[in-house]
């Protein structure tokens, strides 16, 4: 197991376990396409060293380039053509945003050239630094990686690397007491031992779906891996673990460290530190459709009518609110830049920021009519007061390189405007990838309201996102559809101890019936008062919340922390026994059963 982190506890720990009497739903991850025509790399025929790079030629005609960024970080790049391009090919040429935020030259400037040595004996080629040693068998080119600090084999290949027409596969042995985390925001799961997960978009928003997959995982043996690719994959963490992506190349970065937070920190040093969200983002947000048809009915609500009325209700009902998102698409809109600017002025006067919940590209599409809500102009919108963007799945649903590029465009589009006053952008997205964390927070998709399942599911979902390098996570309060007064109140209670809360309004109703509008006063008393109390509690905790948010950016210790992050010496914390509890920073939360007794709603 990883070594214990010695940290001074700033607050007394009050134990929380969200123990819901709901059975665990198995992961329904789709298998990668199987084929028996594997092509392993053969034997090493030539090995040569050029600075901190090692080149290997194989009897199969393939080549590997090993590039060492630090003594404990290296890239293993298997390319059939031996050309070794610096970046993976995006899914479209205009997806220009890179996965890595720090290339090899940046590492050399900061850490200097790595002293890499090569030796061989009768059985192995040995490539090593002062921290690690990569052994390559002369018989079949199977590899193993050793942490020289403790002389421990941290991974070993069961079979040699293999390439096929549409698959690149690494197959590793695993240990009985080895646990795996990562894979991005995997809905309902974060501890993956003996499970299979999709590193791919699609599959809905329920448990087992990857709402924001990331091609990164880490092991309690003391290493992490990021596959440098934009292609979908499947990670199977069985006794003989297989890691597959759908491409004819293998490109991966390996990080060797002694603790989970240090591994995540190495990953985010390469792909970018998580964005530090503006303070208002941690308050409740409200999103709705205005100025158009909705659910097939003409919507009489307008941004300066119903929009301002809703905004004023948060004030008169004494409900803390941080941000407000009109929907620009789905037949809605904000009624023009003048409307948007007037609304932003009114909202700012109440200390509320304005963003857009967007279905479309951010800049004018000449193929769209000039009066189309989808004919966007982010520059003009930022000038009107927009400081946040929610990139809806209707826009970024292609995922991979497309979604990464989109979140970067959204963040930079807000940040670059001189009149924004240097505002820190706030982007909410999904279908993310490695690197998304430097631009966007994540929400978990369109879940239904009125179902306990989604409270159960969200807890490990949030933990897993943090273990994958993105601590900025959230969901719609009591879902986007349906609704229930008790479940909505439970959601406001526990999510006061989470980063992002969204009232996704208007989609649970039909026609002019808004009886299930998504706002904290919808169901009357006692629910309204309880919801208000927890929103105010979160406001009172904001200095602490912002402190742990900054820590999650600078050190990669997420705000929503799985128990193993604070208690790594306890093997009980690594599996699924503690998947419905977490630390809010260094504070444990209350038991859900205790909360029920206190609030007298059970």
């Amino acid at each position: 197991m990883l070594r214990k982190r010695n940290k001074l506890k700033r607050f007394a720990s009050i134990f929380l376990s969200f123990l819901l009497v709901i059975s665990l739903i198995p992961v329904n991850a789709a298998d990668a396409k199987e084929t028996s025509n594997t092509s392993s790399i053969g034997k090493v025929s030539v090995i040569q060293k050029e600075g901190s790079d090692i080149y290997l030629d194989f009897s199969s005609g393939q080549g590997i380039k090993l590039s060492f960024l630090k003594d404990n970080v290296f890239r293993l790049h298997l390319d059939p053509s031996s050309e070794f391009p610096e970046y993976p090919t995006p899914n479209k040429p205009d997806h220009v945003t890179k996965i890595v935020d720090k290339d090899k030259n940046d590492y050399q400037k900061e850490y200097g050239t790595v002293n890499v040595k090569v030796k061989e004996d009768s059985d192995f080629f040995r490539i090593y630094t002062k921290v690690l040693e990569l052994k390559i068998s002369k018989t079949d080119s199977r590899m193993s990686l050793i942490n020289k600090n403790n002389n421990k084999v941290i991974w070993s290949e069961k079979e040699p690397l293999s390439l096929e027409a549409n698959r690149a596969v690494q197959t590793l042995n695993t240990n009985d007491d080895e646990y795996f985390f990562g894979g991005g925001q995997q809905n309902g799961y974060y501890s993956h031992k003996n499970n299979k997960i999709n590193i791919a978009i699609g599959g809905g928003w329920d448990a087992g779906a990857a709402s924001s997959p990331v091609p990164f995982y880490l092991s309690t043996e003391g290493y992490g891996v990021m596959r440098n690719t934009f292609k979908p994959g499947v990670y199977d963490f069985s006794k003989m673990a297989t890691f597959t992506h759908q491409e004819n190349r293998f490109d991966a970065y390996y990080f060797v460290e002694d603790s989970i937070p240090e591994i995540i920190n190495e990953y985010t040093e390469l792909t970018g530190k998580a964005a530090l969200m503006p303070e208002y983002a941690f308050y409740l947000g409200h999103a709705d459709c205005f100025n158009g048809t909705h659910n097939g009915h003409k919507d009489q609500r307008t941004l300066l009518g119903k929009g301002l009325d809703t905004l004023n209700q948060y004030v008169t009902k004494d409900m803390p609110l941080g941000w407000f998102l009109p929907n620009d698409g789905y037949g809605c809109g904000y009624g023009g830049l003048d409307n948007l600017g007037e609304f932003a002025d009114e909202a700012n006067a109440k200390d509320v920021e304005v963003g857009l919940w967007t279905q479309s590209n951010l800049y004018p599409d000449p193929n769209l009519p000039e009066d189309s809500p989808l004919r966007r102009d982010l520059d003009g919108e930022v000038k009107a007061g927009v400081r946040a963007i929610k990139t809806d799945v209707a826009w970024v649903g292609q995922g991979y390189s497309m979604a990464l590029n989109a979140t970067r465009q959204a963040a930079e589009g807000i940040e670059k405007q001189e009149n924004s006053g240097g505002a820190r952008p706030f982007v909410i997205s999904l279908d993310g990838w490695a690197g998304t964390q430097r631009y966007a927070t994540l929400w978990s998709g369109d879940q239904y309201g009125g179902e306990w399942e989604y409270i159960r599911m969200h807890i490990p979902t949030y933990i897993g996102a943090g273990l994958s390098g993105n601590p900025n996570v959230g969901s719609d309060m009591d879902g986007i559809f349906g609704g229930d007064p008790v479940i909505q109140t439970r959601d406001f209670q526990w999510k006061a101890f989470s980063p992002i809360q969204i009232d996704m309004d208007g989609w649970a109703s039909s026609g002019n019936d808004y009886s299930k509008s998504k706002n904290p006063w919808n169901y009357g008393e006692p629910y309204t008062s309880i919801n208000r109390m927890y929103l105010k509690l979160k406001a009172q905790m904001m200095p602490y919340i912002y402190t742990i948010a900054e820590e999650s950016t600078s050190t990669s210790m997420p705000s929503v922390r799985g128990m193993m992050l604070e208690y790594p010496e306890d093997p009980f914390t690594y599996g699924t026994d503690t998947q419905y509890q977490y630390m809010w920073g260094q504070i444990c939360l209350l038991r859900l059963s205790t909360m029920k007794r206190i609030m007298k709603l059970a």
Side-chain angles (χ1 to χ4, degrees):
M1 287 294 174
L2 303 175
R3 72 165 184 255
K4 180 178 180 180
R5 295 175 59 251
N6 295 315
K7 296 183 68 179
L8 178 65
K9 303 296 182 185
R10 292 174 291 181
F11 294 84
S13 290
I14 307 171
F15 190 63
L16 164 70
S17 178
F18 285 99
L19 300 176
L20 303 177
V21 188
I22 302 174
S23 60
L24 187 66
I25 299 176
V27 177
N28 293 319
D31 294 339
K33 183 179 179 180
E34 299 293 339
T35 174
S36 60
N37 297 321
T38 60
S39 177
S40 60
I41 56 179
K43 297 181 180 180
V44 176
S45 56
V46 177
I47 183 169
Q48 56 183 343
K49 178 176 178 295
E50 295 182 10
S52 57
D53 296 333
I54 308 296
Y55 292 87
L56 301 101
D57 295 334
F58 293 86
S59 58
S60 59
Q62 299 159 341
I64 282 180
K65 179 182 179 182
L66 297 167
S67 300
F68 288 81
L69 284 62
K70 299 167 66 172
D71 287 314
N72 64 320
V73 178
F74 69 96
R75 178 183 181 183
L76 192 161
H77 192 173
L78 168 60
D79 183 6
S81 67
S82 295
E83 294 179 357
F84 309 115
E86 187 65 22
Y87 302 109
T89 303
N91 294 328
K92 289 185 179 179
D94 60 344
H95 301 164
V96 299
T97 309
K98 305 293 191 296
I99 290 174
V100 300
D101 192 45
K102 188 175 186 178
D103 61 25
K104 188 176 180 183
N105 289 332
D106 294 324
Y107 276 91
Q108 288 179 341
K109 290 177 183 177
E110 184 168 350
Y111 300 104
T113 301
V114 181
N115 184 15
V116 186
K117 297 181 179 180
V118 180
K119 289 186 178 180
E120 64 175 294
D121 54 33
S122 57
D123 298 317
F124 298 99
F125 294 102
R126 300 174 183 269
I127 301 165
Y128 61 95
T129 69
K130 64 181 181 181
V131 172
L132 59 83
E133 177 181 318
L134 185 69
K135 290 172 53 178
I136 305 175
S137 168
K138 288 186 172 181
T139 303
D140 57 11
S141 295
R142 283 185 297 170
M143 301 181 193
S144 58
L145 186 62
I146 300 166
N147 185 336
K148 292 176 64 178
N149 291 330
N150 54 18
N151 200 33
K152 177 183 178 181
V153 177
I154 56 177
W155 61 255
S156 63
E157 291 183 331
K158 178 72 173 178
E159 299 174 358
L161 287 176
S162 66
L163 296 181
E164 302 164 9
N166 66 336
R167 291 208 317 169
V169 185
Q170 186 174 45
T171 305
L172 301 180
N173 298 298
T174 65
N175 297 325
D176 291 339
D177 60 351
E178 182 176 8
Y179 291 87
F180 298 93
F181 310 103
Q185 187 167 262
Q186 299 280 332
N187 282 0
Y189 301 90
Y190 71 83
S191 185
H192 304 312
K193 183 180 180 67
N194 295 323
N195 281 321
K196 184 186 296 185
I197 62 174
N198 279 334
I199 311 299
I201 63 169
W205 310 119
D206 293 339
S211 50
S212 279
V214 169
F216 163 77
Y217 75 90
L218 61 87
S219 162
T220 53
E221 291 296 287
Y223 75 93
V225 184
M226 187 202 79
R227 292 285 284 268
N228 192 30
T229 178
F230 284 118
K231 301 303 180 185
V234 174
Y235 295 173
D236 186 344
F237 298 99
S238 302
K239 182 68 176 177
M240 187 176 73
T242 58
F243 306 95
T244 304
H245 279 272
Q246 296 177 13
E247 61 183 346
N248 186 32
R249 59 188 285 277
F250 181 94
D251 189 358
Y253 288 88
Y254 292 84
F255 317 97
V256 177
E257 279 290 2
D258 292 327
S259 75
I260 290 174
E262 290 171 321
I263 294 170
I264 299 172
N265 209 43
E266 294 288 3
Y267 162 71
T268 57
E269 181 176 17
L270 178 71
T271 60
K273 295 296 182 182
L276 179 59
M277 298 188 300
E279 182 179 328
Y280 70 81
F282 293 94
Y283 290 88
L284 179 67
H286 184 94
D288 202 352
C289 174
F290 301 98
N291 298 323
T293 58
H294 178 57
N295 287 347
H297 298 270
K298 183 66 177 178
D299 197 339
Q300 301 303 317
R301 301 176 300 171
T302 64
L303 185 57
L304 296 180
K306 182 65 175 179
L308 284 180
D309 178 63
T310 301
L311 179 63
N312 289 329
Q313 285 191 70
Y314 278 96
V315 176
T316 58
K317 296 180 184 297
D318 196 20
M319 297 285 185
L321 183 71
W323 41 286
F324 198 107
L325 303 182
N327 191 336
D328 78 316
Y330 300 101
C332 308
Y334 48 73
L337 291 175
D338 290 341
N339 261 11
L340 185 63
E342 185 176 343
F343 181 83
D345 289 341
E346 293 280 352
N348 294 166
K350 297 174 175 61
D351 294 324
V352 175
E353 293 291 345
V354 173
L356 290 174
W357 166 14
T358 178
Q359 182 190 353
S360 64
N361 292 330
L362 297 174
Y363 295 99
D365 182 349
N367 297 317
L368 291 172
E370 290 192 6
D371 61 349
S372 169
L374 298 182
R375 188 180 168 100
R376 298 288 307 284
D377 182 4
L378 183 60
D379 291 344
E381 292 159 352
V382 172
K383 290 177 182 178
V386 164
R387 297 294 180 269
I389 294 289
K390 179 178 181 286
T391 63
D392 200 273
V393 67
W395 175 29
V396 300
Q398 298 175 47
Y400 311 107
S401 60
M402 186 279 170
L404 180 61
N405 195 60
T407 55
R408 190 264 308 166
Q409 288 179 313
E412 292 182 356
I414 295 171
E415 196 171 34
K416 74 179 183 181
Q417 290 296 321
E418 293 181 5
N419 76 308
S420 72
R424 187 179 300 131
F426 175 34
V427 179
I428 312 162
S429 193
L430 82 176
D431 286 332
W433 201 246
T436 296
Q437 75 278 355
R438 66 184 186 258
Y439 305 117
T441 183
L442 304 175
W443 104 101
S444 58
D446 291 339
Q447 280 98 40
Y448 275 78
E451 297 186 21
W452 288 106
E453 158 62 10
Y454 294 114
I455 291 181
R456 179 205 74 81
M457 188 189 81
H458 284 155
I459 298 168
T461 301
Y462 290 7
I463 296 171
L467 291 170
S468 303
N470 199 331
N472 299 319
V473 289
S475 303
D476 305 330
M477 301 305 297
D478 192 26
I480 183 172
F481 310 110
D484 176 87
V486 173
I487 294 175
Q488 185 207 45
T489 302
R490 288 284 178 256
D491 229 18
F492 272 103
Q493 287 177 303
W494 85 266
K495 283 176 181 167
F497 306 94
S498 70
I500 305 298
Q501 299 172 270
I502 313 173
D503 271 345
M504 190 68 74
D505 200 15
W507 295 82
S509 58
S510 61
N512 292 318
D513 176 15
Y514 303 111
S515 61
K516 289 187 177 179
S517 295
K518 298 294 183 175
N519 53 57
W521 59 85
N522 186 56
Y523 295 107
E525 297 295 348
Y527 313 106
T528 297
S529 293
I530 297 171
N531 294 340
R532 180 188 297 112
M533 180 173 68
Y534 276 85
L535 288 172
K536 287 192 170 186
L537 174 61
K538 190 174 189 182
Q540 291 172 325
M541 293 181 65
M542 200 57 65
Y544 174 72
I545 291 171
Y546 212 67
T547 297
I548 60 176
E550 193 284 328
E551 184 179 3
S552 72
T553 294
S554 60
T555 70
S556 298
M557 273 290 282
S559 302
V560 176
R561 297 179 186 174
M563 300 303 292
M564 82 295 292
L565 293 176
E566 291 291 341
Y567 298 96
E569 75 284 359
D570 186 353
F572 187 73
T573 65
Y574 286 88
T576 58
D577 294 298
T578 59
Q579 67 180 339
Y580 301 122
Q581 65 188 63
Y582 65 91
M583 305 284 284
W584 182 226
Q586 291 181 313
I587 301 178
C588 269
L589 305 181
L590 296 170
R591 288 182 181 271
L592 185 60
S593 58
T594 303
M595 288 167 55
K596 288 181 179 180
R597 289 195 298 271
I598 292 172
M599 305 316 301
K600 297 182 180 180
L601 287 174

